[in-house]
């Protein structure tokens, strides 16, 4: 058996969000006009700490691995293999 493990750095921000997701401006950040209470930010990438960040990253990774002919294990969904 030949096995490999990959550790991704900055994984969650690599996956694009496929729905509209907004967040309130963090405390201490204001717009150029000095206001902060009426503005929200539309996210284009995942952020750490979001509830759905792990799910979005997992879907992105599964899509990419299946695109290069890896198969997902029926026993453990976190295991992908290629070949027999």
């Amino acid at each position: 058996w030949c096995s490999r493990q990959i550790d991704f750095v900055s994984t969650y921000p690599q996956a694009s969000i496929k729905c509209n997701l907004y967040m309130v401006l963090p405390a201490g950040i204001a717009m150029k006009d000095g206001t902060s209470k009426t503005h929200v930010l539309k996210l284009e990438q995942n952020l750490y700490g979001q509830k759905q960040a792990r799910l979005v990253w997992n879907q992105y990774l599964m899509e990419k691995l299946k695109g290069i002919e890896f198969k997902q294990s029926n026993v453990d969904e976190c295991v992908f293999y290629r070949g027999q």
Side-chain angles (χ1 to χ4, degrees):
W1 293 75
C2 176
S3 64
R4 295 182 188 167
Q5 177 180 337
I6 300 172
D7 186 19
F8 291 94
V9 178
S10 301
T11 55
Y12 294 161
Q14 293 179 20
S16 297
I17 298 174
K18 295 180 180 177
C19 63
N20 290 329
L21 189 60
Y22 299 89
M23 67 176 275
V24 177
L25 285 176
I29 297 181
M31 300 301 285
K32 288 182 182 180
D33 62 2
T35 61
S36 62
K37 296 184 185 212
T38 60
H39 297 293
V40 293
L41 302 174
K42 181 178 180 184
L43 301 177
E44 295 181 3
Q45 296 292 118
N46 263 326
L47 293 177
Y48 285 97
Q50 291 176 308
K51 291 180 182 179
Q52 68 274 29
R54 284 180 269 164
L55 174 64
V56 172
W57 164 248
N58 188 46
Q59 290 171 342
Y60 173 79
L61 180 62
M62 285 176 26
E63 178 184 312
K64 295 297 180 183
L65 288 174
K66 289 179 180 180
I68 56 174
E69 300 180 4
F70 274 82
K71 295 178 183 174
Q72 191 172 18
S73 171
N74 291 331
V75 178
D76 187 347
E77 295 178 351
C78 296
V79 175
F80 288 83
Y81 63 93
R82 191 172 8 184
Q84 305 298 342

